[in-house]
Amino acid sequence: MTPEAQTEAKSERLLNLLIMLLVQRHLVPKARIRAILYPDHSDDAFERKFDRDKEELRSLGVPIEVGAIDALFDDEPGYRVRRDQFALPEIDLDPEEAAVVGLAAKVWDHARFATAASDAVRKLTAAGVDVDTSRLDIVQPRLRADEPSFEVFLEAVRDRVPVRFDYARAGAAPQTRHLQPWGVTRYAGRWYVVGQDTDRSAERVFRLSRVRGRAHTDGDPGSYDVPPGTDLREVARRLAPAPSHERSVLLVRQGAGHTLRRDAVDLEVGVTGPDGRDDWDRLVLTRGTVGLADEVLGHGPAAFVEEPATLREAVVTRLRALPDPVGDLP
């Protein structure tokens, strides 16, 4: 099995275990966990892998509770994750902090999690487990990244594993590159990986949309360190091509759209919005429009595009493609 396949199998197994322990209202017998999630393992192999998986989940902050299934006998341990202990406490954020969290949250609207979660629920249901899917809301991430190799780089950053990939600059044939990735960051509406190019012995940034085919890990975990004090966005701003700028005009409801307001070069307060109310502000932005549709959509009905027409059409097209149409779009 390739390193990528091993990583994927491990991620799926951990996710299956988390979901199984989270959706149960009572302690799950150890024997049942083995029968459903580790059916092909010997006794020793199951004990070793189950212990490692539990510790890995705990290291990620998952509070796994252990207890006796029968109060009269303590030889049958059971496990579960209590929702009240796993959920975050109430958090009070000011508008700017909330805007930053909202922007970060858009990153985890990722297809692999949705697929893995639905696969896990299907397997557990087929095995006779009563799955309360409403309990999965607290573990649903929201990261959106369409580049096929996004996840490979993200996991390589986490594990400090070098990556090999084919990369094509504009108008040039693809070349194989070798990178020790320090991090993945978004700049000017595009995703970049930042790291040490071992072929050139220098720091470099690579735009993920220009990676051809699938990237592959190419080394051992923990085989390098990220230079202390590395600022990914600063490196991206310094090394990535300067973004082109275009004038955009947005209507944003008062009290909302703080990340959009931060980039505004002109502001008109108290204008009439698409709903006929005068509690909107008109913002003028002069920046690249790549990724701007995602930002506007992230603010839901509190943001509206007036111009350019191409940006407005991109937002409308995305809204109409939603599974549950959003009424009549203006």
Side-chain angles (χ1 to χ4, degrees):
M1 185 181 291
T2 66
E4 292 87 352
Q6 290 176 341
T7 299
E8 187 168 343
K10 177 183 176 182
S11 299
E12 182 179 358
R13 190 177 67 251
L14 290 174
L15 182 59
N16 289 346
L17 179 59
L18 172 58
I19 291 175
M20 185 175 190
L21 299 183
L22 183 63
V23 300
Q24 299 297 301
R25 294 178 176 85
H26 306 288
L27 293 167
V28 185
K30 186 176 183 179
R32 185 164 176 76
I33 295 173
R34 176 183 179 180
I36 294 175
L37 300 184
Y38 306 83
D40 301 325
H41 291 66
S42 65
D43 292 346
D44 290 342
F46 163 67
E47 293 291 344
R48 289 195 304 271
K49 188 161 290 186
F50 183 47
D51 285 343
R52 284 199 301 266
D53 288 349
K54 284 186 301 180
E55 290 311 308
E56 182 131 6
L57 286 178
R58 285 176 174 138
S59 72
L60 296 172
V62 179
I64 299 179
E65 177 184 343
V66 185
I69 299 295
D70 191 326
L72 299 178
F73 301 94
D74 59 3
D75 59 345
E76 174 65 11
Y79 303 84
R80 69 175 174 178
V81 175
R82 291 181 51 177
R83 180 186 175 93
D84 58 343
Q85 294 180 1
F86 189 40
L88 289 173
E90 183 175 348
I91 299 174
D92 185 19
L93 301 176
D94 62 37
E96 289 221 347
E97 291 171 331
V100 172
V101 172
L103 187 61
K106 291 195 304 181
V107 178
W108 285 103
D109 179 18
H110 195 17
R112 176 172 167 186
F113 182 90
T115 301
S118 61
D119 286 348
V121 170
R122 187 177 64 251
K123 291 176 182 177
L124 295 174
T125 302
V129 178
D130 181 18
V131 178
D132 180 2
T133 55
S134 66
R135 296 176 172 230
L136 301 182
D137 294 342
I138 59 175
V139 296
Q140 179 183 4
R142 296 182 176 85
L143 183 131
R144 182 178 188 84
D146 298 327
E147 290 80 2
S149 289
F150 179 91
E151 195 164 334
V152 176
F153 284 107
L154 202 63
E155 292 180 351
V157 169
R158 179 196 65 193
D159 298 333
R160 300 288 185 264
V161 180
V163 178
R164 180 185 77 255
F165 57 98
D166 292 335
Y167 188 77
R169 294 184 178 276
Q175 291 184 334
T176 299
R177 311 299 289 266
H178 298 84
L179 185 74
Q180 295 175 345
W182 299 340
V184 176
T185 185
R186 194 167 178 85
Y187 170 66
R190 296 184 173 95
W191 285 107
Y192 290 87
V193 59
V194 177
Q196 179 77 4
D197 185 328
T198 55
D199 297 317
R200 291 158 178 77
S201 299
E203 61 179 7
R204 290 288 189 272
V205 298
F206 296 94
R207 202 168 98 191
L208 295 190
S209 62
R210 290 183 173 170
V211 174
R212 298 295 176 256
R214 184 175 176 82
H216 300 277
T217 54
D218 188 29
D220 298 322
S223 59
Y224 64 90
D225 294 315
V226 177
T230 298
D231 184 333
L232 299 178
R233 290 187 60 81
E234 186 279 327
V235 177
R237 283 194 297 268
R238 176 161 44 86
L239 298 181
S244 58
H245 291 81
E246 186 174 354
R247 183 177 184 271
S248 303
V249 181
L250 310 176
L251 293 180
V252 178
R253 194 183 297 277
Q254 292 178 353
H258 299 283
T259 55
L260 296 170
R261 293 174 184 274
R262 192 175 296 124
D263 291 337
V265 297
D266 193 15
L267 174 66
E268 183 181 354
V269 179
V271 302
T272 302
D275 57 0
R277 298 166 55 106
D278 60 1
D279 59 348
W280 293 72
D281 297 335
R282 177 174 284 112
L283 279 58
V284 177
L285 285 65
T286 54
R287 46 161 283 189
T289 57
V290 175
L292 185 53
D294 284 340
E295 292 186 43
V296 172
L297 287 165
H299 294 284
F304 178 85
V305 179
E306 285 194 324
E307 57 180 89
T310 52
L311 176 61
R312 175 176 164 77
E313 183 59 31
V315 171
V316 170
T317 298
R318 293 271 293 278
L319 288 173
R320 285 177 174 155
L322 293 175
D324 297 315
V326 193
D328 295 328
L329 299 175

